Protein backbone atom coordinates (compact mmCIF):
# COMPACT_ATOMS: atom_id res chain seq x y z
CA UNK A 1 0.00 0.00 0.00
CA UNK A 2 1.11 3.59 -0.50
CA UNK A 3 0.43 4.76 3.02
CA UNK A 4 1.27 3.55 6.47
CA UNK A 5 2.74 0.09 6.11
CA UNK A 6 5.54 0.91 3.68
CA UNK A 7 8.43 3.32 4.15
CA UNK A 8 11.53 4.46 2.33
CA UNK A 9 12.20 6.15 -1.03
CA UNK A 10 9.83 3.85 -2.93
CA UNK A 11 6.93 4.67 -0.65
CA UNK A 12 7.68 8.40 -0.86
CA UNK A 13 7.71 8.23 -4.66
CA UNK A 14 4.35 6.44 -4.61
CA UNK A 15 2.87 9.08 -2.32
CA UNK A 16 4.22 11.80 -4.61
CA UNK A 17 2.70 10.09 -7.64
CA UNK A 18 -0.65 9.71 -5.89
CA UNK A 19 -0.63 13.37 -4.91
CA UNK A 20 0.22 14.46 -8.48
CA UNK A 21 -2.50 12.29 -10.04
CA UNK A 22 -5.09 13.65 -7.60
CA UNK A 23 -3.94 17.23 -8.18
CA UNK A 24 -4.28 16.92 -11.95
CA UNK A 25 -7.71 15.28 -11.65
CA UNK A 26 -8.92 17.97 -9.24
CA UNK A 27 -7.67 20.83 -11.41
CA UNK A 28 -9.10 19.36 -14.61
CA UNK A 29 -12.49 18.67 -13.04
CA UNK A 30 -12.65 22.12 -11.48
CA UNK A 31 -11.92 23.61 -14.90
CA UNK A 32 -14.91 21.78 -16.37
CA UNK A 33 -12.98 19.00 -18.10
CA UNK A 34 -14.57 15.53 -17.97
CA UNK A 35 -12.59 12.62 -16.55
CA UNK A 36 -12.27 9.28 -18.33
CA UNK A 37 -10.95 6.79 -15.76
CA UNK A 38 -9.85 3.50 -17.34
CA UNK A 39 -8.48 0.43 -15.59
CA UNK A 40 -7.15 -2.96 -16.49
CA UNK A 41 -8.72 -5.74 -14.39
CA UNK A 42 -6.36 -8.57 -13.37
CA UNK A 43 -3.29 -7.29 -11.57
CA UNK A 44 -4.67 -3.74 -11.44
CA UNK A 45 -8.10 -3.71 -9.81
CA UNK A 46 -7.65 -7.19 -8.32
CA UNK A 47 -4.55 -9.25 -7.49
CA UNK A 48 -3.64 -12.07 -9.87
CA UNK A 49 -5.07 -15.33 -8.49
CA UNK A 50 -4.16 -19.00 -9.15
CA UNK A 51 -7.21 -19.31 -11.40
CA UNK A 52 -8.92 -16.43 -13.26
CA UNK A 53 -12.37 -17.08 -11.77
CA UNK A 54 -10.98 -16.42 -8.26
CA UNK A 55 -9.98 -12.83 -9.09
CA UNK A 56 -13.07 -11.01 -7.86
CA UNK A 57 -13.51 -7.35 -7.03
CA UNK A 58 -13.62 -6.59 -3.33
CA UNK A 59 -16.89 -5.01 -2.15
CA UNK A 60 -15.02 -1.81 -1.26
CA UNK A 61 -13.45 -1.49 -4.72
CA UNK A 62 -16.80 -2.16 -6.37
CA UNK A 63 -18.50 0.54 -4.28
CA UNK A 64 -15.80 3.09 -5.10
CA UNK A 65 -15.95 2.41 -8.82
CA UNK A 66 -19.75 2.64 -8.74
CA UNK A 67 -19.71 5.95 -6.87
CA UNK A 68 -17.16 7.46 -9.22
CA UNK A 69 -19.19 6.32 -12.24
CA UNK A 70 -22.22 8.20 -10.91
CA UNK A 71 -20.37 11.53 -10.80
CA UNK A 72 -21.37 14.01 -13.50
CA UNK A 73 -18.75 14.34 -16.23
CA UNK A 74 -16.94 11.20 -15.05
CA UNK A 75 -16.84 7.93 -16.98
CA UNK A 76 -15.32 4.75 -15.56
CA UNK A 77 -14.18 1.96 -17.84
CA UNK A 78 -12.58 -1.45 -17.45
CA UNK A 79 -10.42 -2.76 -20.29
CA UNK A 80 -9.35 -6.38 -20.05
CA UNK A 81 -8.06 -9.36 -21.97
CA UNK A 82 -11.02 -11.26 -20.53
CA UNK A 83 -14.02 -11.80 -22.76
CA UNK A 84 -16.74 -9.17 -22.51
CA UNK A 85 -19.30 -11.51 -20.93
CA UNK A 86 -16.81 -12.77 -18.35
CA UNK A 87 -15.68 -9.25 -17.52
CA UNK A 88 -19.25 -8.13 -16.85
CA UNK A 89 -19.88 -11.20 -14.67
CA UNK A 90 -16.74 -10.57 -12.63
CA UNK A 91 -17.39 -6.85 -12.09
CA UNK A 92 -21.17 -6.72 -11.63
CA UNK A 93 -21.15 -2.97 -12.13
CA UNK A 94 -23.78 -0.84 -13.81
CA UNK A 95 -23.04 2.51 -15.39
CA UNK A 96 -19.47 1.70 -16.44
CA UNK A 97 -18.07 0.92 -19.87
CA UNK A 98 -16.49 -2.46 -20.57
CA UNK A 99 -13.93 -3.34 -23.21
CA UNK A 100 -13.12 -7.04 -23.50
CA UNK A 101 -10.65 -9.31 -25.29
CA UNK A 102 -7.95 -6.68 -25.40
CA UNK A 103 -10.17 -4.20 -27.25
CA UNK A 104 -12.07 -6.41 -29.73
CA UNK A 105 -15.43 -6.21 -27.90
CA UNK A 106 -17.11 -3.38 -26.03
CA UNK A 107 -20.17 -2.34 -24.11
CA UNK A 108 -20.40 1.44 -23.91
CA UNK A 109 -23.15 1.95 -21.35
CA UNK A 110 -25.38 -0.60 -23.07
CA UNK A 111 -24.23 0.00 -26.65
CA UNK A 112 -22.34 -3.13 -27.66
CA UNK A 113 -20.01 -3.60 -30.62
CA UNK A 114 -17.04 -5.48 -32.02
CA UNK A 115 -14.01 -4.75 -34.15
CA UNK A 116 -14.87 -4.37 -37.88
CA UNK A 117 -12.85 -7.50 -38.71
CA UNK A 118 -14.57 -9.57 -36.05
CA UNK A 119 -15.82 -12.28 -38.42
CA UNK A 120 -12.39 -13.00 -39.87
CA UNK A 121 -10.80 -12.85 -36.43
CA UNK A 122 -13.25 -15.40 -34.99
CA UNK A 123 -12.58 -17.81 -37.84
CA UNK A 124 -8.81 -17.55 -37.35
CA UNK A 125 -9.12 -18.01 -33.58
CA UNK A 126 -11.35 -21.10 -33.91
CA UNK A 127 -8.85 -22.87 -36.16
CA UNK A 128 -5.89 -21.91 -33.99
CA UNK A 129 -7.67 -23.01 -30.81
CA UNK A 130 -8.03 -26.58 -32.02
CA UNK A 131 -4.33 -26.81 -32.85
CA UNK A 132 -3.12 -25.22 -29.62
CA UNK A 133 -5.40 -27.39 -27.50
CA UNK A 134 -3.62 -30.45 -28.92
CA UNK A 135 -0.19 -28.99 -28.18
CA UNK A 136 -1.08 -27.96 -24.62
CA UNK A 137 -2.77 -31.26 -23.66
CA UNK A 138 0.43 -33.03 -22.49
CA UNK A 139 1.29 -30.19 -20.07
CA UNK A 140 -0.52 -30.77 -16.80
CA UNK A 141 -1.92 -27.55 -15.35
CA UNK A 142 -2.03 -25.66 -18.66
CA UNK A 143 -5.15 -24.93 -20.66
CA UNK A 144 -6.25 -22.86 -23.63
CA UNK A 145 -9.05 -20.33 -23.15
CA UNK A 146 -11.05 -19.55 -26.28
CA UNK A 147 -12.23 -15.94 -26.12
CA UNK A 148 -13.51 -16.11 -29.73
CA UNK A 149 -11.56 -12.98 -30.70
CA UNK A 150 -8.37 -14.12 -28.99
CA UNK A 151 -6.82 -17.05 -27.15
CA UNK A 152 -5.08 -17.28 -23.80
CA UNK A 153 -2.78 -20.13 -22.84
CA UNK A 154 -2.78 -20.29 -19.03
CA UNK A 155 0.03 -21.99 -17.17
CA UNK A 156 -0.33 -20.77 -13.58
CA UNK A 157 -0.31 -24.35 -12.30
CA UNK A 158 2.42 -25.72 -14.58
CA UNK A 159 5.66 -26.74 -12.78
CA UNK A 160 8.44 -24.23 -13.39
CA UNK A 161 10.64 -26.71 -15.26
CA UNK A 162 7.83 -27.38 -17.77
CA UNK A 163 7.17 -23.76 -18.72
CA UNK A 164 10.07 -23.40 -21.19
CA UNK A 165 9.12 -26.63 -23.07
CA UNK A 166 5.51 -25.40 -23.18
CA UNK A 167 6.61 -22.08 -24.70
CA UNK A 168 8.72 -23.93 -27.26
CA UNK A 169 5.81 -26.16 -28.24
CA UNK A 170 3.53 -23.13 -28.65
CA UNK A 171 6.13 -21.29 -30.72
CA UNK A 172 6.38 -24.23 -33.13
CA UNK A 173 2.68 -23.80 -33.92
CA UNK A 174 2.52 -20.01 -33.92
CA UNK A 175 5.60 -19.59 -36.11
CA UNK A 176 3.87 -21.64 -38.79
CA UNK A 177 0.51 -19.90 -38.48
CA UNK A 178 -0.81 -18.95 -41.95
CA UNK A 179 -2.04 -15.55 -40.69
CA UNK A 180 -0.07 -13.03 -38.58
CA UNK A 181 -0.64 -13.29 -34.85
CA UNK A 182 0.46 -11.14 -31.93
CA UNK A 183 1.64 -12.90 -28.76
CA UNK A 184 1.53 -10.83 -25.58
CA UNK A 185 2.91 -12.04 -22.23
CA UNK A 186 0.44 -11.86 -19.35
CA UNK A 187 0.68 -12.98 -15.70
CA UNK A 188 1.34 -16.74 -16.03
CA UNK A 189 -0.26 -16.77 -19.47
CA UNK A 190 0.28 -15.93 -23.12
CA UNK A 191 -2.40 -13.95 -24.95
CA UNK A 192 -2.67 -14.61 -28.69
CA UNK A 193 -4.43 -12.18 -31.02
CA UNK A 194 -4.82 -12.17 -34.80
CA UNK A 195 -2.73 -9.17 -35.78
CA UNK A 196 -5.12 -6.69 -37.38
CA UNK A 197 -3.40 -3.58 -36.03
CA UNK A 198 -5.60 -3.25 -32.95
CA UNK A 199 -4.64 -3.43 -29.27
CA UNK A 200 -5.48 -1.79 -25.95
CA UNK A 201 -3.77 1.39 -27.10
CA UNK A 202 -6.03 1.53 -30.15
CA UNK A 203 -9.05 0.97 -27.92
CA UNK A 204 -8.04 3.76 -25.53
CA UNK A 205 -7.52 6.27 -28.36
CA UNK A 206 -10.93 5.35 -29.78
CA UNK A 207 -12.64 5.62 -26.37
CA UNK A 208 -11.06 9.00 -25.72
CA UNK A 209 -12.87 10.34 -28.80
CA UNK A 210 -16.05 8.30 -28.45
CA UNK A 211 -16.97 9.03 -24.82
CA UNK A 212 -16.11 12.69 -24.12
CA UNK A 213 -13.97 13.93 -26.99
CA UNK A 214 -10.55 15.60 -26.88
CA UNK A 215 -11.31 17.84 -23.89
CA UNK A 216 -11.33 14.91 -21.44
CA UNK A 217 -8.48 14.06 -19.09
CA UNK A 218 -7.82 10.34 -19.55
CA UNK A 219 -6.36 8.09 -16.86
CA UNK A 220 -5.33 4.52 -17.57
CA UNK A 221 -3.89 2.06 -15.04
CA UNK A 222 -2.42 -1.30 -16.05
CA UNK A 223 0.15 -3.84 -14.94
CA UNK A 224 1.08 -6.18 -17.82
CA UNK A 225 2.73 -6.13 -21.24
CA UNK A 226 -0.61 -5.85 -23.03
CA UNK A 227 -1.22 -2.59 -21.10
CA UNK A 228 1.91 -0.84 -22.36
CA UNK A 229 0.29 0.34 -25.63
CA UNK A 230 -2.59 1.84 -23.62
CA UNK A 231 -0.20 3.58 -21.23
CA UNK A 232 1.75 5.00 -24.17
CA UNK A 233 -1.47 6.15 -25.84
CA UNK A 234 -2.60 7.99 -22.71
CA UNK A 235 0.79 9.65 -22.35
CA UNK A 236 0.54 10.86 -25.96
CA UNK A 237 -2.92 12.25 -25.16
CA UNK A 238 -1.48 14.27 -22.28
CA UNK A 239 -3.31 12.12 -19.76
CA UNK A 240 -2.38 10.13 -16.68
CA UNK A 241 -0.65 6.81 -17.44
CA UNK A 242 -0.35 4.72 -14.26
CA UNK A 243 1.88 1.64 -14.18
CA UNK A 244 1.01 -0.97 -11.56
CA UNK A 245 3.88 -3.20 -10.42
CA UNK A 246 7.17 -3.58 -12.26
CA UNK A 247 6.30 -5.15 -15.63
CA UNK A 248 5.31 -1.91 -17.38
CA UNK A 249 6.55 1.69 -17.34
CA UNK A 250 4.66 4.97 -17.17
CA UNK A 251 4.87 8.49 -15.79
CA UNK A 252 3.19 7.40 -12.56
CA UNK A 253 3.94 4.14 -10.76
CA UNK A 254 1.97 2.34 -8.04
CA UNK A 255 3.13 -0.92 -6.48
CA UNK A 256 0.00 -3.09 -6.50
CA UNK A 257 -3.82 -3.24 -6.70
CA UNK A 258 -4.01 -2.09 -3.08
CA UNK A 259 -2.49 1.21 -4.14
CA UNK A 260 -5.03 1.52 -6.97
CA UNK A 261 -7.80 0.98 -4.43
CA UNK A 262 -6.27 3.79 -2.38
CA UNK A 263 -6.35 5.98 -5.49
CA UNK A 264 -10.04 5.16 -6.02
CA UNK A 265 -10.84 6.02 -2.41
CA UNK A 266 -8.98 9.33 -2.69
CA UNK A 267 -10.74 10.23 -5.95
CA UNK A 268 -14.09 9.36 -4.40
CA UNK A 269 -13.34 11.72 -1.49
CA UNK A 270 -11.89 14.42 -3.74
CA UNK A 271 -14.49 14.87 -6.47
CA UNK A 272 -17.68 16.76 -5.58
CA UNK A 273 -21.07 15.10 -5.79
Amino acid sequence: MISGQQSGPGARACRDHLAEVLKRCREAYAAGRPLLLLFDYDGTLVPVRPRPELAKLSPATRRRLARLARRPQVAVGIISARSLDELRRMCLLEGVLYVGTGGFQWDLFGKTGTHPQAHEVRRTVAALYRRLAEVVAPFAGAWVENKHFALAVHYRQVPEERIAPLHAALASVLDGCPVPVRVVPAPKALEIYPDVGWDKGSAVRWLAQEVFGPEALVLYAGDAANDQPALSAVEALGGLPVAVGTEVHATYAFPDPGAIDELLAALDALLPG
Side-chain angles (χ1 to χ4, degrees), residues 22-33:
L22 294 174
K23 175 176 179 288
R24 290 191 58 189
C25 286
R26 180 180 65 248
E27 290 176 350
Y29 200 66
R33 296 179 66 190

Side-chain angles (χ1 to χ4, degrees), residues 28 49 86 112 151 174 183 196 231 247 250 261 263 273:
R49 300 299 188 191
E86 182 186 19
T112 59
L151 300 169
L174 297 175
V183 181
V196 294
L231 294 168
E247 298 301 313
D261 197 48
L263 169 64

Side-chain angles (χ1 to χ4, degrees), residues 55-223:
K56 296 182 179 179
L57 279 177
S58 72
T61 300
R62 182 178 286 109
R63 285 194 300 270
R64 287 163 182 155
L65 289 168
R67 284 199 295 261
L68 286 169
R70 289 196 293 268
R71 297 294 210 287
Q73 290 292 92
V74 175
V76 173
I78 303 172
I79 304 179
S80 174
R82 291 177 183 257
S83 71
L84 183 61
D85 288 343
E86 182 186 19
L87 187 59
R88 286 187 292 216
R89 285 196 305 270
M90 296 299 290
C91 294
L92 296 174
L93 282 164
E94 300 293 334
V96 306
L97 60 91
Y98 295 104
V99 178
T101 325
F104 279 91
Q105 304 170 281
W106 53 83
D107 179 346
L108 304 189
F109 312 113
K111 181 183 177 181
T112 59
T114 59
H115 188 273
Q117 293 176 256
H119 178 72
E120 294 84 352
V121 167
R122 287 181 70 112
R123 188 168 55 204
T124 298
V125 166
L128 192 55
Y129 171 74
R130 292 190 291 270
R131 182 71 185 100
L132 290 181
E134 295 173 0
V135 170
V136 166
F139 293 87
W143 77 98
V144 184
E145 181 185 0
N146 187 352
K147 304 178 184 182
H148 304 296
F149 299 99
L151 300 169
V153 179
H154 298 276
Y155 52 88
R156 300 182 192 194
Q157 297 174 321
V158 174
E160 189 66 30
E161 67 274 11
R162 295 284 286 159
I163 292 177
L166 172 61
H167 283 190
L170 294 171
S172 68
V173 174
L174 297 175
D175 289 346
C177 190
V179 297
V181 295
R182 182 166 48 89
V183 181
V184 183
K188 294 295 185 180
L190 291 177
E191 296 167 1
I192 302 162
Y193 301 91
D195 193 355
V196 294
W198 188 263
D199 56 22
K200 280 189 175 184
S202 313
V204 165
R205 287 189 293 271
W206 174 70
L207 286 171
Q209 292 297 319
E210 189 75 11
V211 178
F212 285 130
E215 71 274 14
L217 178 66
V218 183
L219 178 150
Y220 183 86
D223 74 302

